[in-house]
Amino acid sequence: MSNTADPPPRRPGYSGLIKSAFTGTTRIVREMHSAIAGQTFGVLAQLPLVGTPARWVAGAHDAIAGGVYTAIDGVGETLLEAADAVEQRLAGNSHALLPIGIKSALNGAFGDHLDASESAFAIPMQLVGASQPLALERAALRAAYPAAGRRLAVFVHGLGCSDRSWAATGAGQVHLGEALATHGHTPLYLRYNSGLPIAENGAALAALLESLIRAWPTRKTELVLIGHSMGGLVARSACEQAPKSAAWARRTRMLISLGSPNTGAPLARHGELLQRALDTFAVTAPLGRLGAARSRGVKDLHDGLPAGAISGHPQIELRFIGAHLGAAADGALASLFGDGLVPVASATTLDGYTPTTHLVLGGVGHLGLLNDPRALAQIKAWL
């Protein structure tokens, strides 16, 4: 089974995405309006003298409000359907114009919804080389990599990021993939919908890597996985789901995680608590449902992955790099906030306390790990 570089087109385009946002927002406003009005008229209906008039007014209010929102829904839906029809006729592939960075952010936030609705904005999982999706067929890979070596490094980005997130953009930064290319590794980059469940992406990655290994022009290939943030969890999930017979897993030497929330990310937990608090009250419950609409990928960061070594593939060595914003690793700032998103203990252990082979970098934030020269030096040493 081969993977093509150009997946089949999906629907809808820009207008369809706007339509989903429009209808969702209108529903939230309508539910909050109804809850506020219901509480107000409910109190008035219990008062002497004004109870009966209040119920009359409430009935009229509900009828008028219902008509207004129905009209808004109807007009908005009609206009957006017309816009979608025009868009499909004049620029059927206009969704390709959306920058991959914005598309990746949308997938991180609502990727499971985009995938379920067969949206053109849902990113299919692909391996990318030089910013171009790769067809996992031997002839195509030989043409793309005429001097293909046997050592591969697959980079897996994090939540809401893309294969282009590894690029160095500032002074003093390094491009890990390009640097490892001079170290004898051929860099390949994963592009995927980070809003899907981690386990689902892990299974898809395992299948993709099997296709890669079987199609790669060079025999006796050696594989290294390097994941940033959620990417480290997706890569570990792929390793854990790979059967003993998987060729790619047998040839995987090492998994290196940069700032991965192995035991969970506090920000995700805070989002969960906020949603529960909003759900408590009728007026804020619609906002709670809006929070619940965040992707399963985001929710999976709540607890990370279960602790433990990769079963069935003991040859895969685990290496961790964590970071903190403060001056000292044992300071309050470092222990509480880590790199700003992931605490040091979560990034450098599987259970929060058991020692592992790891490196802790000071004075760098979560995204800074992508291009830190100290991380590169340690990765080269491990390899």
Side-chain angles (χ1 to χ4, degrees):
M1 178 177 171
S2 63
N3 296 75
T4 58
D6 297 315
R10 309 186 81 187
R11 58 175 179 82
Y14 293 113
S15 301
L17 185 65
I18 296 172
K19 179 180 176 181
S20 296
F22 173 82
T23 56
T25 302
T26 303
R27 184 180 68 253
I28 295 296
V29 173
R30 182 174 189 169
E31 290 175 353
M32 291 189 68
H33 183 171
S34 177
I36 294 171
Q39 287 191 353
T40 301
F41 287 122
V43 172
L44 292 176
Q46 304 302 316
L47 298 178
L49 301 179
V50 300
T52 299
R55 284 190 288 272
W56 293 342
V57 174
H61 168 272
D62 292 344
I64 294 172
V68 170
Y69 283 115
T70 298
I72 291 174
D73 288 341
V75 171
E77 185 171 349
T78 299
L79 290 175
L80 289 169
E81 284 181 350
D84 186 60
V86 172
E87 177 189 32
Q88 296 300 325
R89 176 172 295 184
L90 298 180
N93 65 344
S94 63
H95 62 270
L97 300 177
L98 190 68
I100 186 63
I102 297 176
K103 201 172 181 180
S104 297
L106 284 173
N107 276 250
F110 309 109
D112 46 0
H113 169 73
L114 295 174
D115 183 74
S117 60
E118 298 185 347
S119 170
F121 294 101
I123 298 174
M125 182 174 285
Q126 297 172 304
L127 282 170
V128 176
S131 298
Q132 295 298 321
L134 298 172
L136 300 187
E137 299 170 348
R138 191 176 299 273
L141 289 174
R142 185 178 289 114
Y145 297 95
R150 69 178 188 87
R151 304 174 75 186
L152 300 176
V154 175
F155 292 81
V156 187
H157 66 75
L159 176 71
C161 296
S162 75
D163 52 284
R164 299 180 185 178
S165 299
W166 300 95
T169 57
Q173 294 186 346
V174 296
H175 191 302
L176 297 182
E178 293 178 355
L180 289 186
T182 65
H183 199 254
H185 289 78
T186 299
L188 302 174
Y189 307 90
L190 190 69
R191 178 182 294 176
Y192 69 102
N193 180 347
S194 59
L196 294 177
I198 289 174
E200 184 176 331
N201 274 327
L205 176 57
L208 195 68
L209 291 175
E210 187 72 8
S211 297
L212 170 67
I213 290 298
R214 295 188 181 280
W216 192 252
T218 305
R219 301 181 61 184
K220 297 182 180 180
T221 308
E222 180 182 281
L223 186 63
V224 173
L225 303 177
I226 301 175
H228 174 251
S229 194
M230 176 190 280
L233 303 186
V234 171
R236 182 151 64 92
S237 177
C239 293
E240 292 174 347
Q241 295 185 64
K244 291 184 178 181
S245 60
W248 76 268
R250 295 200 308 270
R251 298 184 186 183
T252 298
R253 171 190 172 190
M254 187 178 293
L255 165 57
I256 302 172
S257 296
L258 310 176
S260 295
N262 296 300
T263 62
L267 190 60
R269 296 194 187 103
H270 295 159
E272 187 77 15
L273 293 173
L274 177 60
Q275 179 194 326
R276 292 177 184 176
L278 291 172
D279 287 341
T280 303
F281 305 99
V283 172
T284 57
L287 291 178
R289 286 191 286 277
L290 179 63
R294 67 193 190 279
S295 73
R296 178 62 187 275
V298 174
K299 295 176 183 178
D300 277 357
L301 294 178
H302 184 283
D303 296 314
L305 289 183
I310 296 172
S311 59
H313 304 286
Q315 86 286 354
I316 301 178
E317 302 175 29
L318 298 179
R319 300 289 184 267
F320 303 98
I321 298 181
H324 58 84
L325 298 170
D330 57 354
L333 183 63
S335 60
L336 289 175
F337 300 104
D339 60 18
L341 292 178
V342 179
V344 172
S346 183
T348 58
T349 72
L350 294 174
D351 56 12
Y353 54 87
T354 303
T356 62
T357 302
H358 69 267
L359 170 70
V360 177
L361 300 176
V364 61
H366 189 66
L367 292 178
L369 282 169
L370 285 162
N371 311 110
D372 195 288
R374 295 169 295 173
L376 171 63
Q378 181 61 78
I379 291 171
K380 284 184 175 181
W382 281 333
L383 295 179

